[in-house]
Amino acid sequence: MGKKSQKPKIVLPPELPPEILEEEIEVSDDDLQFVKENSDYAVGVSRLDTQSITKHVTRVADVKEDALEALYEKRLKKKALQKEKVESGLQVDPVDALPVKTLDGKLYYRTLQKTSILCANSEEETGEDKKGDSVDKGIVKLTKVERRAKLKKQKKETKKQGKELDKAEEVQQMSQAAVLAEVKEDLTAEEAFESKKQKLAELGMALLADPESNIKSLKEMLQISKDNDDAIVKLGVLSLLAVFKDIIPGYRIRLPTEKELEMKVSKSVKKMRYYESTLLSVYKAFLQKLIVLEKKPSFQQVAVRCICTLLDAVPHFNFRGSLLAFVIRNIGSSDNVVRKLCCATITSLFTNEGKHGGEATVEAVRLIADHVKAHNCQLHPDSIEVFLSLSFDDNLGRPEKTNENNRVKNKKFRKRKHVEEPSQLPDTDKKRSRKEQMTKMREEVAADYKAASFMPDVMEQRRMQSETLSAVFETYFRILKHSVQPKASSNEEVVSPVSGASGSHPLLAPCLKGLGKFSHLIDLDFMADLMNYLKRLASGGSNSGDSSQKNCFTVSERLQCCIVAFKVMRSNLDALNVDLNDFFVQLYNLILEYRPGRDQGGVLAEALKMMLCEDRQHDMQKAAAFVKRLATFSLCFGSAESMAALVTLKHLLQKNVKCRNLLENDAGGGSVSGSIAALALMAYLKF
C-alpha cells in the first residue's frame, strides 16, 4: 500500500495591528500643512476601502469559512494558555539567564514553577533532612547557637548600614541647605535693597505729609541708616536730611523743665511736647551718626555735605555750635571738595544773617580765630578768605553823637531834679507802690514787644558787629605778627600745608586783602603798629636787610603791603600823619624785581595807579625818578606790562610839567634823530 497523502498545512495570515482611536493619534502641524499644500496627492488615499482590504488580507485560499474560523479560535486558545503559563511561572532575571529569540523576532525568558520554589522554601524552614534525597546531601546544617550568632551579626550589619545611610542623608541635607542658603542670599540681596529703599521712601512721604502724627517714623529711618550695606546707609542719611530740612520748625526748641512736666496740660500741649522731644532726640542722634561717618573715607563727603546743608538751611535750630565746630574744623581740609563745601557754607552764613540774626556770624568768626591760632597760621588761604564776605555798617567805627547828647541832657535833668526835690513833699507809700507797679508793667510790655517784633535791635546788632570786627582784626594782626617774626634757625624750613600757598605764610595774601577792604574800620589805637608791620613786610620782613628773610615774601605780597598802607592812610586822612616815603622807595625797587608769570600783574597795576596816579603830593624828584624807572621797565617786558608803565608815565608827565625836560637831549649834543625820537615818544604818550 502506498503512503497516505499528507494534508497541506494551513498557514494563517499574521494578526492585524490593533485598532487605534482617532483621538489618540497625534499629528504634527508640519504634516497638516504638508497635506493642505498637497491635497491633490491625498485624493487617492482618502478613497481607499479599508474593509475590502481587511477581508483580502485575512482570507486563506481553498479554505472554507467554517474551517477558517476554527483555526482562528484555536490560535486564540493557544495564546491564552501561554499567558496563563507565564503568569503561573516565575520569570528568571535576564542577568542570570539569556533569553531565547524566535523566528518571529520575539524574546522569551525561562521561567520556573512557583510550586517548586515554595516547596524548597518550606524544606529550608522546617530543616528536615531526608537522607534519601540527593538535593540535601551537600547542605551543612547549622546549630541553634550558630543561627543566633548569625542573626545577631546580620542585625549588627543592618544597624551599621542604617546609621551610615542616616549620616550620608544628614550630610547631603546639610550641603543642600548651605547651597540653598547661599542661593537665597544672592537672590534676596537685590530684593532686600529694593524693599529697604521703598520703606525709606514711604516713611519719608508720610513724615512730609503729616509730621506730628508720623514722628515715630524718624526712628525707623534712623535705624535703617545703620544698615551694613553702604548704599542703604547713604540713602538713609540723605533721606533724613531731606526730611529734617522740611519739618524743622522756625524756632529753637526748649525742652520743658521738671516743674513744667509736673503741671497738668491739655492733650494738644502733650502732643506738641512729645513731637518736639522726639524730633530733638532723633536730630541729635542723626548728627552723632554723621560725625562718626565723617571719619570713614567712603562716607566723608556725604557726611560733610549733610552737615553743611543743615547749617545753611537751619542755622537758628538747636546744636548749631556742634555744626559750626565741625564745619570750621574742616575749613582747611586737604580735600578740595570738603574744603569748598565748608567755605561755601560759612560764606552763606555771613551773607544771609537774616536767618539767624547775626549770632551764628559771631560764633563762626570766633571759631575761625581760634582755629588759626591753634594751627599757628598754617592753613589754606580759603580759611580766612571767607572774611571778605562779611559786611559791616559804615558808622560802626564812629562814636555815637546822639548818645552823648542824651547823656548831657540826662545830667542836666538830674541836676534840676535834685534842685527841685527839697521843695516837693514826700509821696505816700501807696503812690510809690503804684509807680513801681507801672514801671514794672512798662518794662514787661517793652520786653514782649521786643521779642515779638521782627525789626532787629539796633544796639544788639551793633554789639554783635563790633565783636565780629574785633575777632577779624585779631586774626589779621596775629597773621601779620607771625609773618614778621624771624625764623628760629636758617636750616629750619617750614613747609606749607597747602599747595599753592606762598612759602611759610599761606594766610598773608588773604590777610592783606581783608585789611585793604576793612581799612576804614580800623581803630586809631592800632594804626601805628599796623603801619610798622606793613613797612617791615614791604621791605622783606626785617629792618636789617637780610636777603634770606626777604626771599620769604613774593613781589606781589610786598606790593600788596604798599597798597594796604595807602588805603589805610586815605581812609583816616584826617587823623593820621604818616610819612609814606618808605613805601615809595620799596615800590621803586620792586618795579625791576617784577617778573611776568611769576608775579601778579594786576597787583602791580593797582600799586602804580594808587601810589603814583592818585597821589595828591607833587614831588619833582620823586616823579622824575619814577619816570626814568618806568621808561626802563617798559623796554624790558611784554606789551601788557609796558602799556601799564607807559600810561603811568603819561600821567606823571602831565601832572609834573617840568619832568618833560627828561625827554630832551643833553646840552650841546643835540641831533635830528634825538629830536625825532623825543617827538615820537611825546606823540605816543598824548595818544
Side-chain angles (χ1 to χ4, degrees):
M1 293 179 67
K3 294 183 180 178
K4 295 181 180 180
S5 60
Q6 295 181 353
K7 294 181 180 181
K9 189 175 181 180
I10 300 170
V11 180
L12 294 173
E15 294 182 359
L16 295 174
E19 295 182 0
I20 302 174
L21 299 175
E22 293 182 358
E23 297 175 355
E24 297 179 358
I25 298 173
E26 295 181 358
V27 182
S28 63
D29 297 336
D30 297 336
D31 296 340
L32 290 173
Q33 187 176 1
F34 178 77
V35 172
K36 288 179 181 179
E37 293 175 355
N38 304 284
S39 58
D40 298 336
Y41 298 99
V43 174
V45 179
S46 61
R47 294 177 181 176
L48 290 175
D49 189 3
T50 56
Q51 293 181 358
S52 60
I53 293 172
T54 303
K55 287 182 180 180
H56 182 75
V57 172
T58 56
R59 72 181 180 81
V60 179
D62 302 331
V63 179
K64 296 180 179 180
E65 292 182 1
D66 297 337
L68 189 61
E69 289 180 0
L71 289 173
Y72 275 116
E73 290 178 357
K74 187 176 180 182
R75 190 170 67 177
L76 290 172
K77 289 180 181 179
K78 188 175 180 181
K79 285 184 178 181
L81 290 172
Q82 287 179 356
K83 285 182 181 180
E84 291 178 358
K85 186 176 181 182
V86 170
E87 289 176 358
S88 61
L90 182 65
Q91 188 176 357
V92 181
D93 191 356
V95 179
D96 298 334
L98 295 174
V100 178
K101 188 174 182 180
T102 61
L103 296 174
D104 299 337
K106 296 181 179 179
L107 296 177
Y108 293 96
Y109 292 94
R110 289 182 294 176
T111 58
L112 296 176
Q113 295 294 330
K114 290 183 179 181
T115 55
S116 61
I117 295 169
L118 293 172
C119 293
N121 292 333
S122 62
E123 287 177 359
E124 287 180 0
E125 289 177 358
T126 53
E128 295 179 355
D129 296 334
K130 295 183 179 179
K131 296 180 180 179
D133 196 353
S134 61
V135 178
D136 298 335
K137 287 182 180 179
I139 298 174
V140 179
K141 186 177 180 181
L142 300 174
T143 60
K144 291 183 179 181
V145 178
E146 291 175 350
R147 288 177 187 172
R148 290 175 182 173
K150 189 175 181 180
L151 289 172
K152 288 181 180 179
K153 189 176 181 181
Q154 290 177 355
K155 288 180 180 180
K156 289 180 180 180
E157 290 178 356
T158 53
K159 285 182 180 179
K160 287 181 180 180
Q161 291 177 358
K163 289 180 180 179
E164 291 176 357
L165 290 173
D166 293 339
K167 289 181 180 179
E169 290 178 357
E170 289 179 359
V171 172
Q172 189 175 4
Q173 289 178 358
M174 291 290 290
S175 61
Q176 290 178 355
V179 172
L180 288 172
E182 291 179 359
V183 173
K184 284 182 180 179
E185 288 179 359
D186 296 337
L187 292 175
T188 57
E190 296 182 359
E191 296 178 358
F193 177 78
E194 292 296 331
S195 64
K196 291 177 181 178
K197 185 177 177 182
Q198 187 69 21
K199 185 69 174 176
L200 283 171
E202 292 175 357
L203 294 174
M205 292 297 292
L207 276 166
L208 295 177
D210 190 1
E212 293 184 1
S213 301
N214 301 307
I215 192 63
K216 292 182 179 179
S217 301
L218 275 176
K219 296 181 180 179
E220 296 182 21
M221 294 181 71
L222 184 63
Q223 190 64 31
I224 293 174
S225 65
K226 296 179 181 178
D227 196 80
N228 295 326
D229 191 0
D230 294 350
I232 293 294
V233 173
K234 290 181 180 179
L235 286 175
V237 167
L238 294 174
S239 301
L240 282 170
L241 172 65
V243 170
F244 278 123
K245 281 178 62 179
D246 190 81
I247 68 173
I248 283 178
Y251 55 89
R252 189 181 182 89
I253 294 177
R254 184 185 67 83
L255 295 178
T257 60
E258 295 181 357
K259 292 182 179 180
E260 292 176 349
L261 291 173
E262 293 176 357
M263 296 171 61
K264 292 183 179 180
V265 294
S266 61
K267 292 182 179 179
S268 60
V269 175
K270 286 183 180 179
K271 186 177 180 181
M272 181 57 66
R273 284 182 178 178
Y274 177 74
Y275 169 75
E276 291 180 348
S277 61
T278 306
L279 175 63
L280 200 59
S281 62
V282 178
Y283 183 68
K284 182 179 179 181
F286 177 60
L287 294 181
Q288 292 175 351
K289 175 71 175 176
L290 291 177
I291 292 171
V292 173
L293 291 176
E294 188 267 337
K295 298 177 182 178
K296 300 179 181 179
S298 58
F299 295 103
Q300 184 182 14
Q301 293 185 3
V302 177
V304 172
R305 188 180 297 277
C306 290
I307 290 179
C308 291
T309 305
L310 285 174
L311 182 59
D312 187 20
V314 287
H316 62 277
F317 198 59
N318 301 59
F319 307 111
R320 181 179 62 197
S322 302
L323 295 176
L324 278 172
F326 178 87
V327 172
I328 290 170
R329 187 170 66 248
N330 292 281
I331 201 170
S333 174
S334 58
D335 191 349
N336 293 331
V337 177
V338 173
R339 186 178 65 255
K340 288 179 180 178
L341 282 172
C342 295
C343 292
T345 303
I346 298 300
T347 304
S348 178
L349 277 181
F350 292 164
T351 54
N352 301 317
E353 291 187 350
K355 293 182 179 180
H356 49 82
E359 296 178 357
T361 302
V362 179
E363 294 179 14
V365 171
R366 286 176 180 172
L367 288 172
I368 292 174
D370 296 338
H371 192 59
V372 172
K373 181 180 179 182
H375 287 79
N376 197 19
C377 302
Q378 297 298 316
L379 291 171
H380 196 276
D382 294 343
S383 302
I384 66 166
E385 204 164 26
V386 295
F387 287 163
L388 299 176
S389 59
L390 289 168
S391 59
F392 299 98
D393 294 337
D394 293 335
N395 299 326
L396 185 62
R398 300 175 184 174
E400 293 185 357
K401 297 181 180 179
T402 57
N403 292 342
E404 292 179 356
N405 296 332
N406 292 333
R407 289 174 184 174
V408 173
K409 291 180 181 179
N410 291 333
K411 288 181 179 179
K412 292 180 179 179
F413 178 73
R414 288 175 183 174
K415 289 180 179 179
R416 291 178 182 175
K417 190 175 180 181
H418 286 302
V419 172
E420 293 176 356
E421 274 181 359
S423 62
Q424 293 179 355
L425 296 173
D427 296 331
T428 60
D429 296 338
K430 291 182 179 180
K431 291 183 179 181
R432 287 179 181 177
S433 61
R434 285 180 183 178
K435 287 183 178 180
E436 290 176 358
Q437 289 178 0
M438 290 296 292
T439 53
K440 287 182 180 179
M441 289 176 64
R442 286 173 183 172
E443 290 177 357
E444 291 177 358
V445 170
D448 294 339
Y449 177 76
K450 181 180 177 181
S453 63
F454 293 97
M455 294 297 293
D457 188 5
V458 178
M459 297 299 295
E460 184 68 18
Q461 190 174 8
R462 189 180 180 85
R463 182 191 62 81
M464 288 190 295
Q465 284 201 348
S466 61
E467 290 181 4
T468 304
L469 188 63
S470 63
V472 169
F473 282 127
E474 179 187 351
T475 305
Y476 285 160
F477 277 99
R478 177 175 285 109
I479 295 169
L480 291 176
K481 185 177 179 181
H482 178 269
S483 302
V484 170
Q485 287 177 354
K487 293 183 180 180
S489 60
S490 59
N491 297 329
E492 183 181 358
E493 294 183 359
V494 182
V495 180
S496 176
V498 183
S499 60
S502 59
S504 59
H505 309 291
L507 300 180
L508 182 59
C511 171
L512 295 173
K513 289 181 183 178
L515 286 171
K517 182 178 180 180
F518 305 123
S519 59
H520 61 287
L521 299 174
I522 300 175
D523 194 354
L524 295 176
D525 297 336
F526 303 103
M527 287 294 179
D529 295 335
L530 176 61
M531 297 303 290
N532 186 19
Y533 284 141
L534 291 175
K535 284 181 183 179
R536 293 179 64 182
L537 290 172
S539 63
S542 64
N543 296 327
S544 60
D546 189 6
S547 61
S548 63
Q549 188 71 16
K550 288 183 180 180
N551 294 330
C552 296
F553 304 103
T554 62
V555 174
S556 301
E557 290 175 347
R558 295 168 67 185
L559 288 172
Q560 191 70 32
C561 293
C562 299
I563 294 170
V564 172
F566 272 78
K567 285 184 178 180
V568 172
M569 185 270 296
R570 288 184 183 178
S571 301
N572 304 275
L573 187 61
D574 299 334
L576 286 180
N577 187 12
V578 181
D579 185 12
L580 299 176
N581 287 328
D582 293 339
F583 294 100
F584 282 110
V585 171
Q586 296 301 328
L587 176 63
Y588 185 81
N589 295 328
L590 290 172
I591 287 175
L592 293 182
E593 293 183 15
Y594 173 83
R595 295 293 180 271
R598 184 194 67 181
D599 302 318
Q600 300 177 10
V603 177
L604 177 61
E606 186 180 0
L608 293 174
K609 178 183 177 182
M610 181 168 289
M611 298 178 66
L612 298 179
C613 297
E614 298 178 0
D615 187 19
R616 298 179 182 179
Q617 298 178 0
H618 299 278
D619 188 353
M620 184 65 64
Q621 294 181 355
K622 180 180 67 176
F626 274 103
V627 165
K628 190 173 182 180
R629 178 56 57 91
L630 289 173
T632 307
F633 177 81
S634 62
L635 298 174
C636 300
F637 297 102
S639 59
E641 290 81 3
S642 299
M643 287 296 296
L646 291 174
V647 168
T648 309
L649 182 61
K650 172 188 173 182
H651 184 81
L652 289 174
L653 291 174
Q654 288 177 349
K655 190 167 63 173
N656 301 281
V657 181
K658 294 182 180 180
C659 292
R660 296 179 184 179
N661 296 328
L662 295 172
L663 302 176
E664 299 178 359
N665 291 337
D666 295 336
S671 63
V672 178
S673 61
S675 61
I676 293 173
L679 290 173
L681 180 59
M682 290 180 68
Y684 176 75
L685 293 175
K686 288 181 181 179
F687 175 75

